[in-house]
Each structure stands twice: as C-alpha cells, then as structure tokens.
Amino acid sequence: MFDFDVNISFLSGMGPSKATMLQKELGIFTANQLLNLFPNKYVDKSKIFSINELLPSNTEVQVKGVVIELKEIKQKRGSRLVGIFKDGTGTMELVWFRASKWLKSSIKINDSYVIYGKINFFNGNFSMAHPEMELEANYKKSLVSGLQAVYPSTEKMSAKGFNNKVMSRAMQHLLKESYAFIEETLSDEIVQELELLTKREALLNIHFPKNQEQLAKAQKRLKFEEFFYIQMQLIRNKLIRKDKIKGYVFEKVGPIFNSFYKSGLKFDLTNAQKRVLKEIRADMASGAHMNRLLQGDVGAGKTIVALLTMLMALDNDFQTAILAPTAILASQHYQAISELVAPFDISVKLLTGATRIKERRVIHESLEDGSLQILIGTHAILEDKVVFKNLGLAVIDEQHRFGVAQRSKMWMKNDLPPHILIMTATPIPRTLAMSAYGDLDVSIIDELPPGRKEVQTVHRFDSSRLRVFKFMRDEISKGRQVYVVYPLIEESEAMDYKDLQDGYESIQREFPLPDYKISIVHGKMKPADKEFEMQRFVKGETQIMVATTVIEVGVNVPNASVMVIESAERFGLSQLHQLRGRVGRGGDQSYCILMSGVKLSNDSKTRLETMVRTSDGFEIAEVDLKLRGPGNLMGTQQSGVLNLKIADLVRDSKELHMARNMALEVLREDPNLLLPKNTPIKKTYQQIHKRTSIWANIS
Ligand code: ADP
Ligand code: MG
C-alpha cells in the first residue's frame, strides 16, 4: 500500500529540510499534493542542435561542445564572464553577467558539455546568457526523457539549491513508489468513451512525458478531470436548487399574452427571441423556481421578451415588476412599456426616488390590493413599505448594478420567491457562462432584429479632431444627434472633470448657439438636472450630448447616429461596446469614433482594433477575457475557475465543453451517483468536497 496522505518528509529522497522548504514555499504537505504539483512548462531536450543549424527564430536550444576559452571583461561594477563555445560546426559566446570565482573555477575548459538556454542573435553571432551546463558524461546518466518538466519554484528555493533537478528526482521517487496504487478517479466508461489516459498514465506523463503526444494526452485528461468536477458541483447545485426551491407554477399562456402577441407586437419576433421565450415558459411552468439570465447584445430585443414574460405572469393572476439600475432607465422602460400595453387593459406604474408621496400612496395601496399589475422602478421598489399582493415574477435589468442581497430581499416578500429574470447586455463568454454561471440558467438572444445596420467604427488620433468636428456638423445638418463621451475614473476624478469641462467648452466654441444646442450630463449633477438635460436630448431639443459614462446603460435615442468616445484607450472593452450600443438604434447608418492619443499600450491597441474589427458582443467578450483574465469578470470569484490548477478557461474551452456534457450525462442518468460504475466519481467528488476550500465556498 501507499499512503497518499503521508507527510512529504517521509518520502524517499526528501528529508526534513527539503520538506520544510516545500511546505513553506509551495504549500505542499502530503504525497498527494506533491503528485499533483503540475509543471509550469516543459523544455524539449530531445534534440541537440549543432551551431551551424541555429536560427535566429530558435528560442531555447540544447548544444553540445566544449568551452575553449574563458575571458573576464571589466564593466562598471564587477566583471562579466564570457566563454567561447565550440562544436564541430562553429562557435558561439556564452555570457555570465556577473563573473564569480566559483563560476570561473567550475567551468572546465575543453571538456564536453551539453548546454541549454535561450539563444540570442546579434550582428550575425549567436550567444547564450546563463546557460544550464552539464558535462556530457552526467547528462547521459540524468536523461529521463526528451521533454523535461519545469516545476514552480521560488527564489528561496533556488538560493538553497532546491532546483528543478532536485524536484524532478523527488518526483521520480514518489512516482516509483506510488504508481501501482494510484487509483482511477473517473469511471472506466468515461475513460474509454473519451479515450482518455488512465489517471496513472496521466500523472506519469505529466511529470515525465514519453513524448509530445503523451504529454498532450496527459494534459487533456487532467484538464478534463479538473473541469469535470467543477461542473459536477455546479450542475448538482442547480438540480438541488430546482428540486428544493419550489416556484409558482405558471400553468397557462392566456388571453393577455395571446392578444398582445397578436395585435400588440409591431414586428415578428426573431427566432432567437422565440426560442428564449419557450425556454422561459417551460421553466416557469415546471414548478421549480426560475433563476434565469437573459443575455443579449445591445439592441437584441430583450425588453420585448421581458414584457411577454411579464404578460404570462399576469395571465396566471400574478403581479410583476421590473427593477432598473437608474431612474433614467426605469422611466424609459416605463414609457416604452406603458405605450405598448396602452391598448390593453393593463395597469402599469413607475416608482422611483422622485415619485411624489401622494402617488406613492396610491401605488402602495394598489400593489397590496392586487389591482396594480406591473410596477417598474429603481431600488425604491425594494423598500419595506412596498408590499405586493402576489409578486410572481421580477425582471432585473443589468444585474451587475444589484447585489445578490437585494435580489433575495425581493424574494422574502411572499411565501414563495418570485421567478427571477435577469437581463444583461454584457455578453459573457460562453466558457465563463458555463463555469461561473453554471448553476444559473442562461438564455441567449444571439440574433439581432432584421435590417439593423452595423455601426461603422473608426479609430482617430486626437490630431484629427477638426475633421471629427466637421463630420459631426455634417451629421447634425442631416438632422442627426451626437454623443461625446468622456471617461470618468475614480482615481483620476479631478483631472477627468477638467477634461470633461475643457472638452465641453471647446465643443461649445465649435458648435455655437443659436444653431447648436448642447446637453451635458455627469455624475456630479443633481438627479433632477441630469434628467432635465437627458430629456432635452431625448426630445431632440439639443443635438449634442456631452457626457461621462452615465449614459452607458440603456439610454434609447434612435435619432442619435454618432458616438464619439474621448480617450477611448482608457475604457475597457465591455464599456466601449456598451457605449457604441447607444447608436445604431434607428434606421440610419451610425458611426462610432474612438479618439485616442498616439501613445498606446499593447492592450489598448488590441481593444481599439477589436472594436474597429467587430461588433459581435461575444467575440468582444472573448477578447476581453483574454486580456483581463477571468479574475476581473463578474461571477468568477465564487465559481472556482480562478483556482484552476492545470486547465485554462480561455485556452481549454474544448475540454470544458467535454466536461460539461459528460457531467450532465452522468448526473442525468445517475443523479446521486449510486451506480457501481460511478463509484470512483462519487469517491473523488466527496474527497474534493472535503479537501479544498473552493468547494466549500460554492455551496
Ligand atoms: P435591448 O436588448 O438592448 O434591451 P431593446 O429591447 O431595447 O433591446 O430593443 C431594441 C429595439 O429593437 C427596440 O426599438 C425594439 O422595439 C426593437 N426590436 C426588438 N425586437 C425586434 C424584432 N424582432 N424585430 C424588429 N425590431 C425589434
Ligand atoms: Mg434594453
């Protein structure tokens, strides 16, 4: 037997000092943890290059030859050591930036070495700085395979001589002793169906790959497994939630829905809208509580889907509410929806912080007696005084503006929680949706209504500003309206307000009264003033709206055709995408102009190029994920995707898909993992559950 929980100090070739080092530096205490310390990378030592074969494009190479000369070269501080290295085909230089006595004496002249390192090419000559050197005689003995694992390490470790060779040797001992006892952690069925390596083979090849192919297989197996157990957890949570949290049953699609569908809709729904409605309908009729994310790019038509969903609630004699993040948005929803349902006998009210006391009283009463069917509002809806008679469905617009606490507060108003539909225009990369949001249901409207013209996007440097002004004038003369948006970031708030003010003044000079009228909206204004300026623009009384990002979410002015974004390099991709979504809402060709300085970081360049290249929100979200990593995207914290040991959310989407499908298949057939064939899965699942904190955090 082999005890995988044994403390590493008891392993062969380890001893207390090395063990202490591993514990302190890498947090490794047990044999099992060491076995699961995966290499950072591999170096290919299967090939020995000759010097005349080297190419400037080679990165890290291995060369065999002799040092024929060592020179110490004085420099400002201390000296540099340079060696002339020669094989049968040519010579190259080896460089050490700090010559030390020890170094000089340890290199043997004219003995055959195998050296390894990064190649530099300069003035037609190759050189290698700080090569790893091994005498050819030793090299032959130590060679395990062509591909050598490089393990995570720290400065303290290398200072104490705990280098990669030591680690590799420890791993070799450990594998030798434990190999026969490594248990399979997936079912045989999965291993066979997906043609995976067994757990044993995978661990052996992740540490000591036979060749590239076996390494790839080992990685695939371990990545799959990592995703698989996260998916098992997420899907199980979802099943448990559906099982335990009962919801209202919306049995029928009734006359309100049907008559609106027949005569209230001014257009045909897109196929995506129809599909999503079906998903929602099935969910709300199931008897379980709905907790669904409705994703769709800006302009994809989420509002109408939400409205139709709300009508289903009305048909089943329930009340319904929309919760919006700002008063401006709430009143836009209110206007749009009350207009749409005006021909039908449906009561709708708006409740925001600005609602008068008298009106409030009316709303409170009609909510309690059930005569008010649709309430649209802001946080004001969440106040204790607001009591619904029977709230059956809450639609939440732009979820990231509301905390979960607020969401659950709404749930408490009745014995059963209302169904929840969260609308978001921030596309979430599919990989993330499947992991971070794996226990939420997701509906995606992935099709824009027909006839939309893609917004033309260009990037201009600040030096072209006069041309941009001319373009704005031309568009305004056609009767269009223009947004000019400035970044406003907390850390640089004072400067940003100055930029905004300067920009506003220069626009006032370029676009003088009485021909031009300009609105300005920013966060320091009183809500009533903001609303007033906004309304002037909405009504077309002003042609230019100068604003900070307060307009980011949801404002709908179909006549606006130009979005100028100042200092665009300072905005994140999803913000740029949101802002661009403010134009292109009418029938006219619209434009987005990204203004920036000439000095751009690589990331800024990528962001601007991406915006110019595509308007596909999902593609943009994928680029965003690549640039920022999953850590900065919402929802990742709870999901464990940040604690991945070997898999990568961006690169390994194939394994993620495989894992999700397989986890679904397993749980569909055997929700409680009672079948004998699933015993290894159950055991592993329970172990993971017990051992790592991320699993504890999820549930
Ligand atoms: P978002 O998803 O950004 O909330 P909206 O619901 O505001 O999008 O819809 C954007 C515009 O598209 C609205 O003017 C809406 O009336 C219109 N629209 C929605 N669905 C369709 C459709 N199937 N065909 C044509 N126009 C549509
Ligand atoms: Mg909307």
Side-chain angles (χ1 to χ4, degrees), residues 253-265 308 311 315 340-341 343-346:
V253 171
I256 304 178
F257 181 96
N258 285 329
S259 58
F260 181 84
Y261 200 94
K262 242 178 257 148
S263 60
L265 275 179
L308 285 163
L311 299 185
D315 269 331
L340 281 166
V341 301
F344 306 87
D345 185 22
I346 296 172

Side-chain angles (χ1 to χ4, degrees), residues 24 65 213 264 270 288 304 367 374 390 438 442 491 550 649 655 694:
K24 278 206 182 125
E213 197 192 337
T270 62
I304 205 73
L367 277 178
I374 300 178
N390 55 0
V442 181
E491 297 92 71
V550 286
L649 206 56
E655 283 77 11
I694 57 159

Side-chain angles (χ1 to χ4, degrees), residues 608-620:
L608 297 180
E609 280 164 13
T610 304
M611 287 298 293
V612 172
R613 183 185 75 238
T614 180
S615 42
D616 178 342
F618 284 100
E619 197 180 332
I620 290 170

Side-chain angles (χ1 to χ4, degrees), residues 656-676:
L656 174 58
H657 278 92
M658 270 168 44
R660 181 159 182 90
N661 290 338
M662 193 48 85
L664 279 169
E665 207 173 291
V666 169
L667 287 175
R668 228 175 255 142
E669 185 192 30
D670 186 15
N672 292 312
L673 302 175
L674 298 175
L675 296 177

Side-chain angles (χ1 to χ4, degrees), residues 267-270 273 296-304 333 423 425 445 449-450 452 556 582 585:
F267 40 71
D268 293 334
L269 293 184
T270 62
Q273 285 170 317
D297 228 331
V298 272
K302 293 181 290 295
T303 312
I304 205 73
H333 277 312
M423 297 195 284
I445 308 180
R452 278 297 155 75
N556 192 20
R582 298 304 113 218
R585 311 198 129 224

